[in-house]
Amino acid sequence: MTSLADLRVIDAATLFAGPSAAMMLGDFGADVIKIEHPRRGDPSRGHGASVDGVGLWWKSLSRNKRAAAVDLSQPEGQEILRRLVARSDVLVENFRPGTLERWGLDPKDLLELNPRLIVARMTGFGQSGPMAGQPGFGTLAEAMSGFAAMTGEPDGPPTLPPLALADGIAGLAMSYAIMVALHARERTGRGQVVDMAIIEPILGLLGPQMTAYRALGAVPRRTGNRSSSNAPRNTYRTRDGRWLAVSTSAQAVAERVVTLVGRADLVAQPWFSSGSGRVAHVDELDEAVAGWIAARDADEVIARFEEAQAAIAPIYDVRDIAEDPQYAALGTFVELPDEELGTVTMQNVLFRLSDTPGEVRWPGRSLGRDTDEVLGELDYGAEEIAGLRGKGVIA
């Protein structure tokens, strides 16, 4: 038994944020139907590494989804979506505001067709405001949220992440929003519209920057690998050239770290009793920790930190992750059979449930692989399907 096996989700979004939300629902059993343009497909098929032209990111992003290719700009394609909506619980879309309305698929009309429907609208800037109609991507959210401004070395430029960070955060937030709306539906019997702007969820993970700005006029500054909230917190290089990360968010851990590196005297200083106090003396703390670590090999440093119950971790790249015993024990990665690649490895579901666990059932599929099956479930006959394919409405 899976948690969401009674849900049908239409994923009519493209690229990363909306499809990520749908993927997470599919991981726990929802029947997710991925709608793509019959000739262009989802642009995410062409992002990142590929094997023989088959995108590997796509394999993970569109796992557990049935792939149907439908041109929603054509009247016949719009009718297919209406039939799907009538039998579904959730529609995820990320068209520019006004696009669904222009196609005769206004969410108000869809909710009349299916009053229990959740319409999850994911756009760069939301459905209202002066920027609502502009194209929006995660990079713009990383820039406008303050993330880039506070990331990087103090004397370096603002730094963007090397991954779809804002999209991933928005995908997590949207999956949560959908579940909240579905829970409300259990009480009210009615669906509703979710309006999410990608520029907003990332703000919530950057700390109370607006609260501090309004109260104190404080503006976050770039601190490199240091933290503006506690110290010592940094990356440190060992004698054998490896890099380790140290965190002292908890007061007791901070005390253990400075005691381990031979500066127990600092614990008695009045400023040491708070994270902000330690930040004010970060140079002294970093010098003590960095010097102690630099005089030892990584294995010794890690062992000594573990003995002291202090927080430390090696800086991994993917090769280290592949060999790490903790990830192996958790079952973090799964290898699956794939119709195009033979086998493919990807990250497993994000968490474990004791009674209704999630599962990666299959990787992302080829364009239009399940179109006939999906339309057959909507009572389209074989001749109708052939006619729609001939017109280019489906693939």
Side-chain angles (χ1 to χ4, degrees), residues 85-156:
V85 160
R87 306 183 187 196
S88 299
D89 299 279
V90 181
L91 168 64
V92 182
E93 65 95 7
N94 69 342
F95 299 105
R96 287 198 205 181
T99 301
L100 283 185
E101 290 83 351
R102 188 173 68 252
W103 288 344
L105 299 169
D106 190 307
K108 293 180 181 178
D109 296 331
L110 298 180
L111 282 165
E112 287 188 9
L113 183 63
N114 179 357
R116 292 175 57 81
L117 181 70
I118 308 300
V119 182
R121 313 195 77 175
M122 177 80 80
T123 56
F125 305 107
Q127 298 293 317
S128 60
M131 297 184 69
Q134 297 187 24
F137 299 97
T139 298
L140 308 189
E142 290 143 12
M144 292 177 63
S145 64
F147 175 88
M150 67 175 70
T151 303
E153 294 299 323
D155 57 350

Side-chain angles (χ1 to χ4, degrees), residues 42-56:
D42 190 315
S44 65
R45 286 182 178 273
H47 280 251
S50 65
V51 175
D52 298 329
V54 178
L56 299 178

